[in-house]
Amino acid sequence: MAEPILSIEHLTKSYDGKVNVLDDISFDVAKGEVVVLLGPSGCGKSTLLRCINALEKVQGGKVLLQGEDVQTAKDLPAIRQKIGMVFQSYDLFPHKTILQNITLAPRKVQKRSKEDAEEEAMQLLERVGLKELANRYPRQLSGGQKQRVAIVRALCMHPEILLFDEVTAALDPEMVREVLEVILGLARQKKTMLIVTHEMSFAEAVADRVLFLDGGHIVEENSPQGFFHSPKTERAKQFLSTFRYERDREE
């Protein structure tokens, strides 16, 4: 593999010195690769994303983005500009229009002109089918529309890597597909992404590689085809059988 854009080396994270939420996690991500993080609730997936963005301090190990340790970076705001993170809760400013929400960081942090930021924002909004809603406020949008806006906001900062933390978890089922289609489009554009999701069909479709976590460890690393159709570990088989059971009941 070429020089990785992101390297996680022996990462350890605990709260109050108690049981490790993440225990000696190591993996690399290549430029343009989509890595999906799967596992049961509480296994450390979301915590891992937050450590990558230095939203959580770690007790050991390194998070290297293009060779620079995010956790010890002297200019953390600068390195965070390279990491776009999209949360399940949207986090849009309710008193600002959609266009204002998207262009705030490019103008204030990257010192881009209003014209430049707005031009790119409108192009991205058009790409996700929301150009006509640019002057509306978040309260006037559906959950799926808000999540697409949050993705556009992250893209407008030109990040090196995108982190998605259960971005469809708070959405009604009918709104899930419109958000996942946007992320699939980004995968086709070879955007580097780490994705935490419980949408199994989506995970199989979008991933270049699957990391299955349990108890703070990477229990299995596999291709999407391998993980979903011939998992290596009993724990992964047990995890997947839960979803198959749910589908059988639905049928």
Side-chain angles (χ1 to χ4, degrees), residues 11-249:
L11 198 68
T12 300
K13 168 66 183 176
S14 63
Y15 293 102
D16 301 323
K18 297 180 180 178
V19 177
N20 290 337
V21 179
L22 300 173
D23 193 1
D24 196 26
I25 297 286
S26 296
F27 64 94
D28 293 333
V29 180
K31 185 175 179 62
E33 186 179 22
V34 179
V35 176
V36 171
L37 306 175
L38 298 179
S41 297
C43 70
K45 305 183 300 294
S46 295
T47 299
L48 176 55
L49 292 191
R50 293 176 66 84
C51 290
I52 291 171
N53 206 18
L55 294 173
E56 298 277 3
K57 291 297 180 184
V58 303
Q59 280 61 57
K62 296 180 179 180
V63 177
L64 301 175
L65 180 66
Q66 296 177 319
E68 184 174 4
D69 192 346
V70 174
Q71 287 282 327
T72 60
K74 293 181 179 179
D75 190 354
L76 184 55
I79 200 168
R80 273 190 176 147
Q81 291 181 46
K82 300 178 182 180
I83 306 171
M85 187 157 182
V86 184
F87 303 87
Q88 62 177 269
S89 55
Y90 327 127
D91 294 328
L92 301 176
F93 293 109
H95 62 290
K96 293 185 179 295
T97 66
I98 299 311
L99 186 60
Q100 290 169 340
N101 264 281
I102 294 169
T103 58
L104 180 64
R107 293 180 60 193
K108 297 296 184 182
V109 178
Q110 296 180 334
K111 308 302 181 184
R112 292 164 61 185
S113 69
K114 179 181 179 181
E115 293 74 18
D116 175 58
E118 289 188 349
E119 180 181 2
E120 182 176 19
M122 292 302 290
Q123 290 173 352
L124 289 169
L125 284 171
E126 183 174 21
R127 190 185 302 173
V128 300
L130 297 177
K131 183 178 180 180
E132 69 282 2
L133 305 183
N135 293 315
R136 293 191 184 181
Y137 290 86
R139 66 178 181 275
Q140 297 173 295
L141 273 60
S142 70
Q145 290 169 336
K146 290 176 187 176
Q147 198 58 280
R148 282 184 281 165
V149 170
I151 294 171
V152 167
R153 180 179 57 185
L155 289 171
C156 220
M157 294 294 287
H158 302 161
E160 296 292 336
I161 188 168
L162 287 161
L163 312 178
F164 293 93
D165 187 14
E166 290 285 12
V167 294
T168 62
L171 300 180
D172 292 334
E174 292 179 344
M175 298 176 184
V176 169
R177 186 171 182 82
E178 64 190 46
V179 175
L180 298 184
E181 286 290 348
V182 171
I183 301 174
L184 283 166
L186 296 175
R188 287 191 286 269
Q189 296 168 35
K190 296 298 181 181
K191 298 289 185 183
T192 310
M193 296 186 282
L194 262 70
I195 302 172
V196 171
T197 183
H198 282 298
E199 300 286 340
M200 295 296 109
S201 296
F202 167 69
E204 185 175 0
V206 76
D208 294 310
R209 185 159 44 111
V210 172
L211 300 182
F212 176 65
L213 278 69
D214 190 34
H217 300 275
I218 296 177
V219 177
E220 180 167 333
E221 179 176 346
N222 209 333
S223 68
Q225 176 72 18
F227 181 80
F228 286 103
H229 299 282
S230 54
K232 303 172 185 176
T233 62
E234 287 302 318
R235 183 65 186 94
K237 292 175 183 177
Q238 181 185 26
F239 175 78
L240 290 170
S241 69
T242 303
F243 291 92
R244 295 192 182 104
Y245 174 67
E246 290 173 352
R247 286 199 297 270
D248 288 343
R249 288 191 64 184

